[in-house]
Short mmCIF file of all heavy atoms in Angstrom, two decimals:
data_model
loop_
_atom_site.label_atom_id
_atom_site.label_comp_id
_atom_site.label_asym_id
_atom_site.label_seq_id
_atom_site.Cartn_x
_atom_site.Cartn_y
_atom_site.Cartn_z
N ARG A 1 216.30 45.74 228.33
CA ARG A 1 217.39 46.71 228.64
C ARG A 1 217.72 47.66 227.43
O ARG A 1 218.52 48.52 227.60
CB ARG A 1 218.76 45.84 228.73
CG ARG A 1 218.81 44.94 229.93
CD ARG A 1 220.11 44.19 229.89
NE ARG A 1 221.04 44.99 230.79
CZ ARG A 1 221.62 44.55 231.82
NH1 ARG A 1 221.42 43.35 232.17
NH2 ARG A 1 222.43 45.26 232.43
N THR A 2 216.83 47.66 226.43
CA THR A 2 217.00 48.45 225.29
C THR A 2 216.42 49.87 225.40
O THR A 2 215.41 49.98 226.03
CB THR A 2 216.58 47.81 224.02
OG1 THR A 2 215.12 47.61 224.15
CG2 THR A 2 217.19 46.44 223.81
N THR A 3 216.98 50.79 224.70
CA THR A 3 216.43 52.13 224.63
C THR A 3 215.06 52.15 223.91
O THR A 3 214.14 52.85 224.36
CB THR A 3 217.38 53.10 223.92
OG1 THR A 3 218.68 53.09 224.59
CG2 THR A 3 216.89 54.55 223.79
N ARG A 4 215.00 51.30 222.85
CA ARG A 4 213.65 51.11 222.20
C ARG A 4 212.57 50.74 223.14
O ARG A 4 211.52 51.25 223.03
CB ARG A 4 213.81 50.13 221.04
CG ARG A 4 212.67 49.97 220.28
CD ARG A 4 212.92 48.95 219.09
NE ARG A 4 211.73 48.79 218.35
CZ ARG A 4 211.58 47.92 217.33
NH1 ARG A 4 212.71 47.17 216.95
NH2 ARG A 4 210.54 47.80 216.68
N GLN A 5 212.80 49.72 223.98
CA GLN A 5 211.80 49.26 224.86
C GLN A 5 211.52 50.45 225.90
O GLN A 5 210.37 50.60 226.32
CB GLN A 5 212.28 48.06 225.69
CG GLN A 5 211.34 47.49 226.67
CD GLN A 5 210.11 46.84 226.02
OE1 GLN A 5 209.88 46.80 224.89
NE2 GLN A 5 209.18 46.44 226.90
N ARG A 6 212.38 51.20 226.36
CA ARG A 6 212.26 52.20 227.28
C ARG A 6 211.37 53.31 226.61
O ARG A 6 210.44 53.81 227.32
CB ARG A 6 213.60 52.86 227.63
CG ARG A 6 213.58 54.16 228.45
CD ARG A 6 212.91 53.91 229.87
NE ARG A 6 213.56 52.94 230.61
CZ ARG A 6 214.59 53.21 231.53
NH1 ARG A 6 214.92 54.44 231.71
NH2 ARG A 6 215.13 52.28 232.19
N LYS A 7 211.57 53.61 225.44
CA LYS A 7 210.81 54.60 224.73
C LYS A 7 209.31 54.07 224.61
O LYS A 7 208.37 54.82 224.73
CB LYS A 7 211.34 54.90 223.36
CG LYS A 7 212.56 55.77 223.41
CD LYS A 7 213.18 56.03 222.11
CE LYS A 7 214.39 56.86 222.20
NZ LYS A 7 215.06 57.08 220.88
N ARG A 8 209.18 52.85 224.36
CA ARG A 8 207.88 52.30 224.13
C ARG A 8 207.09 52.28 225.42
O ARG A 8 205.97 52.68 225.48
CB ARG A 8 207.96 50.69 223.69
CG ARG A 8 206.51 50.14 223.39
CD ARG A 8 206.72 48.73 223.02
NE ARG A 8 206.91 47.83 224.15
CZ ARG A 8 205.99 47.46 224.99
NH1 ARG A 8 204.72 47.87 224.78
NH2 ARG A 8 206.12 46.69 225.99
N LEU A 9 207.73 51.99 226.58
CA LEU A 9 207.11 51.98 227.83
C LEU A 9 206.84 53.49 228.31
O LEU A 9 205.84 53.68 228.89
CB LEU A 9 207.99 51.31 228.83
CG LEU A 9 208.08 49.78 228.73
CD1 LEU A 9 209.08 49.28 229.73
CD2 LEU A 9 206.70 49.10 228.89
N ALA A 10 207.67 54.32 227.98
CA ALA A 10 207.53 55.82 228.31
C ALA A 10 206.21 56.29 227.65
O ALA A 10 205.52 57.06 228.09
CB ALA A 10 208.67 56.60 227.96
N HIS A 11 206.03 55.85 226.29
CA HIS A 11 204.92 56.29 225.61
C HIS A 11 203.57 55.69 226.17
O HIS A 11 202.58 56.38 226.17
CB HIS A 11 205.04 55.85 224.09
CG HIS A 11 203.86 56.07 223.28
ND1 HIS A 11 203.49 57.35 222.94
CD2 HIS A 11 202.93 55.20 222.79
CE1 HIS A 11 202.43 57.29 222.14
NE2 HIS A 11 202.01 56.02 222.06
N LEU A 12 203.66 54.49 226.55
CA LEU A 12 202.48 53.86 227.27
C LEU A 12 202.18 54.37 228.60
O LEU A 12 201.05 54.45 228.97
CB LEU A 12 202.67 52.32 227.30
CG LEU A 12 202.72 51.58 225.90
CD1 LEU A 12 203.10 50.14 226.15
CD2 LEU A 12 201.38 51.74 225.17
N HIS A 13 203.18 54.68 229.33
CA HIS A 13 203.04 55.17 230.68
C HIS A 13 203.83 56.42 230.94
O HIS A 13 204.91 56.43 231.48
CB HIS A 13 203.58 54.12 231.74
CG HIS A 13 202.91 52.72 231.53
ND1 HIS A 13 201.60 52.50 231.93
CD2 HIS A 13 203.39 51.65 230.93
CE1 HIS A 13 201.30 51.22 231.64
NE2 HIS A 13 202.30 50.74 231.01
N PRO A 14 203.29 57.58 230.51
CA PRO A 14 203.96 58.84 230.78
C PRO A 14 204.32 59.09 232.30
O PRO A 14 203.71 58.63 233.12
CB PRO A 14 203.02 59.94 230.31
CG PRO A 14 201.89 59.27 229.56
CD PRO A 14 202.00 57.83 230.03
N PRO A 15 205.51 59.64 232.45
CA PRO A 15 206.01 59.82 233.87
C PRO A 15 205.09 60.79 234.64
O PRO A 15 204.65 61.66 234.07
CB PRO A 15 207.44 60.42 233.70
CG PRO A 15 207.46 61.00 232.31
CD PRO A 15 206.51 60.16 231.53
N ALA A 16 204.99 60.42 235.90
CA ALA A 16 204.20 61.23 236.77
C ALA A 16 204.96 62.40 237.33
O ALA A 16 206.19 62.43 237.06
CB ALA A 16 203.66 60.43 237.94
N GLU A 17 204.42 63.32 237.99
CA GLU A 17 205.07 64.45 238.59
C GLU A 17 206.22 64.09 239.45
O GLU A 17 207.28 64.73 239.58
CB GLU A 17 204.02 65.34 239.38
CG GLU A 17 202.95 65.99 238.51
CD GLU A 17 203.50 66.95 237.57
OE1 GLU A 17 204.48 67.68 237.87
OE2 GLU A 17 202.89 67.05 236.40
N ALA A 18 205.98 62.98 240.25
CA ALA A 18 207.04 62.40 241.13
C ALA A 18 208.39 62.03 240.43
O ALA A 18 209.32 62.06 241.11
CB ALA A 18 206.54 61.33 241.95
N ASP A 19 208.30 61.82 239.08
CA ASP A 19 209.54 61.46 238.43
C ASP A 19 210.58 62.53 238.36
O ASP A 19 211.64 62.35 238.05
CB ASP A 19 209.24 61.00 237.05
CG ASP A 19 208.59 59.50 236.98
OD1 ASP A 19 208.56 58.84 238.14
OD2 ASP A 19 208.35 59.07 235.92
N ASP A 20 210.22 63.84 238.71
CA ASP A 20 211.18 64.89 238.75
C ASP A 20 212.25 64.62 239.78
O ASP A 20 213.37 65.17 239.66
CB ASP A 20 210.45 66.20 239.10
CG ASP A 20 209.50 66.65 237.92
OD1 ASP A 20 209.65 66.10 236.82
OD2 ASP A 20 208.59 67.46 238.21
N ALA A 21 212.05 63.76 240.74
CA ALA A 21 213.05 63.45 241.73
C ALA A 21 214.15 62.49 241.22
O ALA A 21 215.17 62.30 241.90
CB ALA A 21 212.39 62.88 242.95
N LEU A 22 213.94 61.97 240.10
CA LEU A 22 214.95 60.99 239.56
C LEU A 22 216.29 61.62 239.12
O LEU A 22 216.21 62.74 238.71
CB LEU A 22 214.32 60.36 238.30
CG LEU A 22 213.32 59.21 238.55
CD1 LEU A 22 212.81 58.65 237.21
CD2 LEU A 22 213.75 58.12 239.37
N PRO A 23 217.33 60.91 239.34
CA PRO A 23 218.65 61.45 239.08
C PRO A 23 218.91 61.30 237.51
O PRO A 23 219.44 60.29 237.13
CB PRO A 23 219.66 60.70 239.86
CG PRO A 23 218.87 59.36 240.05
CD PRO A 23 217.49 59.70 240.12
N ARG A 24 218.38 62.17 236.76
CA ARG A 24 218.55 62.04 235.25
C ARG A 24 218.74 63.43 234.67
O ARG A 24 218.40 64.35 235.29
CB ARG A 24 217.46 61.29 234.61
CG ARG A 24 216.07 61.97 234.57
CD ARG A 24 215.17 61.30 233.67
NE ARG A 24 214.27 60.47 234.47
CZ ARG A 24 212.95 60.34 234.17
NH1 ARG A 24 212.50 61.04 233.31
NH2 ARG A 24 212.29 59.60 235.15
N LYS A 25 219.09 63.51 233.43
CA LYS A 25 219.31 64.76 232.74
C LYS A 25 218.00 65.30 232.24
O LYS A 25 217.01 64.62 232.14
CB LYS A 25 220.28 64.57 231.50
CG LYS A 25 221.60 64.19 231.91
CD LYS A 25 222.51 64.05 230.69
CE LYS A 25 223.91 63.86 231.17
NZ LYS A 25 224.80 63.83 230.11
N SER A 26 217.94 66.57 231.82
CA SER A 26 216.84 67.19 231.32
C SER A 26 216.48 66.55 229.88
O SER A 26 217.34 66.05 229.21
CB SER A 26 216.98 68.63 231.20
OG SER A 26 217.99 68.99 230.16
N PRO A 27 215.16 66.66 229.54
CA PRO A 27 214.88 65.98 228.26
C PRO A 27 215.59 66.61 227.00
O PRO A 27 215.73 66.00 225.98
CB PRO A 27 213.43 66.28 228.16
CG PRO A 27 212.88 66.49 229.53
CD PRO A 27 214.08 67.11 230.25
N ALA A 28 216.02 67.83 227.16
CA ALA A 28 216.71 68.56 226.06
C ALA A 28 218.08 68.03 225.80
O ALA A 28 218.63 68.13 224.69
CB ALA A 28 216.69 70.00 226.30
N SER A 29 218.71 67.41 226.81
CA SER A 29 220.10 66.89 226.61
C SER A 29 220.06 65.46 226.20
O SER A 29 219.28 64.71 226.61
CB SER A 29 220.94 67.06 227.94
OG SER A 29 220.33 66.27 228.91
N PRO A 30 221.05 65.07 225.34
CA PRO A 30 221.17 63.72 224.79
C PRO A 30 221.57 62.74 226.04
O PRO A 30 222.25 63.19 226.97
CB PRO A 30 222.20 63.75 223.74
CG PRO A 30 222.98 64.86 224.12
CD PRO A 30 222.11 65.93 224.89
N PRO A 31 221.16 61.48 225.93
CA PRO A 31 221.66 60.55 226.97
C PRO A 31 223.09 60.29 226.91
O PRO A 31 223.71 60.55 225.81
CB PRO A 31 220.96 59.19 226.58
CG PRO A 31 220.62 59.37 225.07
CD PRO A 31 220.41 60.86 224.82
#
């Protein structure tokens, strides 16, 4: 559940093009 784990997984598995459909903010904005 941690942000640290999320960052680790994102580094190991970069998001694919299809991830643009996710309901999230742009990378420039803080969580």
Side-chain angles (χ1 to χ4, degrees):
R1 296 183 92 122
T2 64
T3 302
R4 181 179 181 184
Q5 179 70 2
R6 172 62 60 90
K7 287 178 182 175
R8 187 184 78 76
L9 291 174
H11 174 72
L12 294 175
H13 305 285
E17 297 293 327
D19 281 356
D20 292 340
L22 287 177
R24 69 170 102 136
K25 293 184 175 186
S26 67
S29 63

